[in-house]
Amino acid sequence: MSQNIEFTTKYLNDYLAMVEDSESPRIFHIWSAIFAISASLGRRCYLPMGTFEVFANLYVLLVGTPGTRKTTATNSSKRMLKDATGVRFAAGDT
């Protein structure tokens, strides 16, 4: 368990170092990175809770005024996740 926490902490630190010169607020990048971790886990990891399992599904919504670079933060983590894993994303032209 502590090995997973160390990996997650290293991932977050490395990701935040990579995007520190970005115009997006740090909190947007933190939540985008947490979302990327959740998406990469998919349905492969869960917590057994007796008769059901709890999966690491997250629904993250970045809220801010127009121009606060919400899309910049999400695109950074999405691009990294797409390059590093086989995670597929839905079409963006819905």
Side-chain angles (χ1 to χ4, degrees):
M1 179 74 170
S2 67
Q3 187 178 21
N4 292 339
I5 293 171
E6 289 174 19
F7 171 77
T8 304
T9 304
K10 181 174 176 4
Y11 165 77
L12 283 172
N13 288 334
D14 290 347
Y15 177 77
L16 291 174
M18 180 182 77
V19 296
E20 77 179 326
D21 293 333
S22 172
E23 295 176 336
S24 299
R26 185 176 175 90
I27 192 70
F28 288 171
H29 282 297
I30 290 170
W31 278 105
S32 294
I34 292 171
F35 161 76
I37 292 170
S38 172
S40 66
L41 291 175
R43 295 184 59 89
R44 293 184 304 263
C45 298
Y46 60 88
L47 297 172
M49 300 298 245
T51 59
F52 62 95
E53 294 93 21
V54 176
F55 294 94
N57 298 335
L58 288 180
Y59 297 93
V60 176
L61 181 68
L62 301 179
V63 179
T65 58
T68 54
R69 305 293 184 196
K70 299 175 293 289
T71 304
T72 302
T74 58
N75 285 343
S76 297
S77 63
K78 185 177 174 181
R79 189 177 322 109
M80 187 184 68
L81 181 63
K82 189 175 182 180
D83 292 344
T85 66
V87 173
R88 293 180 289 166
F89 296 92
D93 59 346
T94 56

